[in-house]
Amino acid sequence: MSINKSLTIQETFNIAVKNHQEGKTDVAKELYNRVLKIDPNHSQALNNIAVIFINLKDYQKAKECYEKVVEIDPNSADAYYNLGIIFKELKEYQKAKSCYEKADNIQPNNTIIQTNLGIIFKDLGENQKAKDCYEKAIKINPNNEKAHYNLGVIYKDSGELQKAKICYKKVIEINPNEQETRNSLGIIFQELGEYQKAKDCYEKAIKIKPNYGDAYYNLGQLLHESGEYHLAENYFKKAIQIKPGDIRASNSLLTNLYKMNNQSVLFEELDSIINQGKMNAVIGSICSRSEVKYGVKKENPFCNNPLDYVLKKDLNEKYDFKNVIVKCVNNILKDDSISNRVQKLITNGYQTAGNLFANRDFDTNEIQKIIKIEIEKYRLYFKDSKEGFIKSWPTNYNLNGWLISMKKGGKLSAHMHDLGWLSGSIYINVPQKSELDSGNHVVCIDENENKNENKKSIDVVTGSLCLFPSSLLHYTIPFESEENRIVLAFDMIPNLKKGL
């Protein structure tokens, strides 16, 4: 495109803007650069060319432009805000926070700035500050969908399901066609045991967005848990079709095929996954369970002999168990803000919802330190093992924790933790045993609790820590004491990488 070089700066800038608006970004960029060559302090040209760089994902050049803008105009809230976006993309969260805070000081009633500042606080783990930002954003603009939704996410993660439900319902009231919120609300209903409402949410989300993989997966999970395995199979397959790399759907399909007792199709799917080099606890568990069920041994990529990798420790020996762990757990149990998740596996008891370690209302840092120390000791103890889960030990992981409290006659049926790599239980209070194995923790290969083979019964007491591969199923033997049996259960969950 030929441009008259005798044009004034303003005329050149106006033509650049016109081309920019028409999507002719290469021409616009050339013209913005021409303006800046004549006037390096032309803030509008700097701002506009930075937008082009952001769209090209050239964040370094965009950053240089915005830094020049704030140097020219220290009161440019937009420039600080855009710098915050760039630093967030670069995962420099502290710098992003600083930029958003400067923008907020200039425009304290900007709902968009408040919402994005909340996102940064959430990324930094400062949940209370994030909540404050979202609440302020909502106060400024009660119809701020993003702020309502993000506030709901914080409440969900911390186990405050009723509050999360209110937030998600508000988003849907503002925008009835918001499919992600429908899906998230479905998860809340499912955890609260309101299964029909959950189903309605997932189906509505799929109706709004027919290729919504997460909603297909969640609906499949709901049907699987209800024993409708044939229907669940179709939804898992659809989720995989939409998102071929969705390991959750792939794992759930494996488990579903195992429950359907369809050996040939199960082995075909299992062999395909193993041949792709994938490895996780579900694959390991299905390999082990299939060997017991069908008598067919397959090389287990996760752990061939998981019962050999069960460790029990007494935390009283090294730590101030009562004042550090028990005191913290008792404070959590006294708080009524955390919802109880409806858990079909538990008899005469309940499980807390969400991740206790994500709930910043409680200081669980010391407990997490202890768990991480013991996880590392576990790894070192088995470091020479040739088993896949040791050889491919995750370098980065998260901890997910919850409490289980059971009354007299309480038990937990056999199950495994699909997302875990290593699972554990800290026994906060174990009532006095009326029988030799009363209240024991049992780890096992398959679901048949009546078989004495393929399992280990662990004699746990107050202060015990048990660690075991997440591929193992586990359950609790009923107890008859009037005291509550309280356990802090947790999973070490790898930060997922391709192939796991």
Side-chain angles (χ1 to χ4, degrees):
M1 180 180 178
S2 178
I3 301 294
N4 188 342
K5 293 185 179 181
S6 65
L7 294 173
T8 66
I9 290 179
Q10 188 59 47
E11 287 170 336
T12 305
F13 176 75
N14 291 341
I15 295 172
V17 171
K18 185 174 184 297
N19 280 277
H20 197 169
Q21 290 171 340
E22 292 173 353
K24 300 173 185 176
T25 52
D26 287 342
V27 176
K29 186 167 69 166
E30 181 188 339
L31 292 169
Y32 288 138
N33 278 325
R34 188 175 298 181
V35 170
L36 292 168
K37 191 172 183 180
I38 301 169
D39 181 6
N41 293 332
H42 196 294
S43 58
Q44 287 177 297
L46 284 165
N47 185 79
N48 290 5
I49 199 170
V51 172
I52 293 176
F53 286 134
I54 288 176
N55 290 333
L56 293 171
K57 299 191 183 304
D58 191 339
Y59 299 119
Q60 185 59 40
K61 287 184 179 177
K63 180 167 75 75
E64 290 168 3
C65 289
Y66 286 128
E67 285 174 340
K68 182 70 173 176
V69 173
V70 297
E71 185 181 312
I72 297 164
D73 180 8
N75 290 317
S76 175
D78 287 346
Y80 280 118
Y81 171 77
N82 289 324
L83 260 178
I85 291 174
I86 291 168
F87 282 124
K88 185 178 188 303
E89 289 291 339
L90 296 172
K91 301 191 187 308
E92 297 184 53
Y93 298 121
Q94 289 292 348
K95 289 182 179 179
K97 182 181 76 167
S98 176
C99 288
Y100 285 140
E101 286 176 333
K102 286 175 182 176
D104 180 48
N105 287 335
I106 298 165
Q107 290 184 10
N109 291 318
N110 187 311
T111 183
I112 297 174
I113 292 172
Q114 285 296 325
T115 303
N116 280 274
L117 183 55
I119 292 170
I120 290 296
F121 279 128
K122 176 73 164 59
D123 289 338
L124 291 170
E126 299 182 59
N127 283 5
Q128 186 54 55
K129 288 183 179 179
K131 281 196 283 187
D132 292 344
C133 286
Y134 296 142
E135 286 168 354
K136 184 175 179 181
I138 290 166
K139 188 174 181 181
I140 298 166
N141 176 13
N143 290 326
N144 185 324
E145 292 176 41
K146 195 171 185 179
H148 282 293
Y149 181 80
N150 290 345
L151 188 56
V153 170
I154 289 180
Y155 284 133
K156 177 189 175 294
D157 290 347
S158 62
E160 299 176 79
L161 301 187
Q162 294 295 343
K163 290 181 180 179
K165 183 169 70 171
I166 292 170
C167 292
Y168 292 149
K169 281 187 170 183
K170 182 63 180 177
V171 175
I172 293 169
E173 180 187 316
I174 298 166
N175 180 4
N177 291 319
E178 217 299 301
Q179 76 278 350
E180 185 177 358
T181 308
R182 294 269 181 190
N183 183 62
S184 297
L185 182 58
I187 294 170
I188 297 294
F189 281 131
Q190 191 168 343
E191 292 211 3
L192 291 171
E194 300 181 61
Y195 301 116
Q196 185 56 52
K197 289 182 180 179
K199 186 169 181 284
D200 292 344
C201 283
Y202 299 143
E203 289 176 340
K204 179 67 174 176
I206 291 168
K207 186 176 180 181
I208 296 168
K209 184 181 178 182
N211 283 326
Y212 192 9
D214 287 349
Y216 278 104
Y217 166 75
N218 288 328
L219 186 49
Q221 281 292 97
L222 183 66
L223 293 165
H224 175 85
E225 291 173 12
S226 302
E228 299 179 68
Y229 302 127
H230 285 88
L231 285 174
E233 179 185 4
N234 295 329
Y235 285 101
F236 291 140
K237 286 181 175 178
K238 183 67 176 177
I240 293 168
Q241 180 187 335
I242 296 168
K243 295 172 66 176
D246 190 344
I247 193 64
R248 301 171 310 156
S250 180
N251 284 345
S252 294
L253 178 60
L254 266 187
T255 305
N256 198 72
L257 291 171
Y258 176 83
K259 290 286 187 180
M260 290 169 68
N261 202 23
N262 192 333
Q263 182 180 348
S264 60
V265 178
L266 169 65
F267 281 2
E268 182 181 344
E269 184 70 21
L270 185 59
D271 290 342
S272 173
I273 290 173
I274 292 173
N275 289 337
Q276 292 173 42
K278 294 180 180 178
M279 179 181 67
N280 55 56
V282 172
I283 296 169
S285 179
I286 296 298
C287 283
S288 297
R289 283 191 265 176
S290 295
E291 182 180 350
V292 173
K293 190 173 186 177
Y294 301 116
V296 178
K297 182 172 178 59
K298 291 182 176 291
E299 185 62 26
N300 192 321
F302 190 77
C303 188
N304 286 285
N305 301 296
L307 289 173
D308 294 341
Y309 291 84
V310 181
L311 283 186
K312 185 182 86 165
K313 290 281 203 69
D314 183 0
L315 296 182
N316 289 297
E317 292 179 356
K318 183 166 180 163
Y319 307 102
D320 188 353
F321 184 75
K322 184 176 180 181
N323 288 316
V324 174
I325 299 178
V326 175
K327 186 177 180 180
C328 178
V329 168
N330 285 338
N331 286 336
I332 294 171
L333 290 172
K334 289 175 186 174
D335 193 290
D336 60 2
S337 65
I338 299 179
S339 303
N340 294 331
R341 180 185 174 204
V342 173
Q343 177 56 275
K344 295 179 181 179
L345 298 167
I346 297 176
T347 302
N348 290 351
Y350 66 88
Q351 173 180 325
T352 58
N355 179 7
L356 288 181
F357 301 140
N359 191 324
R360 304 297 172 178
D361 292 338
F362 308 108
D363 186 0
T364 60
N365 289 330
E366 288 303 312
I367 295 179
Q368 291 184 64
K369 283 181 188 176
I370 291 169
I371 291 173
K372 288 176 180 178
I373 288 169
E374 294 302 324
I375 285 175
E376 179 60 11
K377 286 181 181 178
Y378 179 100
R379 185 191 69 81
L380 292 173
Y381 186 81
F382 292 113
K383 64 183 173 62
D384 296 324
S385 168
K386 303 300 181 186
E387 294 283 14
F389 89 111
I390 298 294
K391 289 172 64 179
S392 299
W393 193 265
T395 53
N396 294 298
Y397 65 85
N398 298 315
L399 289 178
N400 186 37
W402 61 96
L403 292 173
I404 297 175
S405 179
M406 292 188 288
K407 298 178 180 179
K408 180 178 180 179
K411 65 167 288 188
L412 181 62
S413 298
H415 67 290
M416 67 165 290
H417 301 160
D418 291 8
L419 299 178
W421 195 268
L422 186 73
S423 294
S425 304
I426 297 176
Y427 292 83
I428 308 301
N429 188 63
V430 179
Q432 189 171 357
K433 298 176 183 290
S434 56
E435 296 181 16
L436 188 63
D437 63 352
S438 179
N440 274 10
H441 175 78
V442 181
V443 288
C444 51
I445 299 294
D446 69 338
E447 303 91 330
N448 193 335
E449 296 179 12
N450 296 319
K451 279 187 178 181
N452 289 322
E453 57 194 37
N454 299 318
K455 68 181 181 182
K456 280 185 177 180
S457 181
I458 303 168
D459 185 14
V460 293
V461 296
T462 299
S464 293
L465 163 69
C466 289
L467 293 171
F468 51 94
S470 295
S471 60
L472 277 172
L473 280 73
H474 49 284
Y475 64 91
T476 302
I477 296 174
F479 65 98
E480 293 304 319
S481 171
E482 297 297 331
E483 281 187 74
N484 284 5
R485 182 182 186 277
I486 302 170
V487 179
L488 171 58
F490 61 88
D491 282 327
M492 165 193 162
I493 301 177
N495 289 333
L496 289 177
K497 298 178 182 178
K498 189 175 181 181
L500 288 181

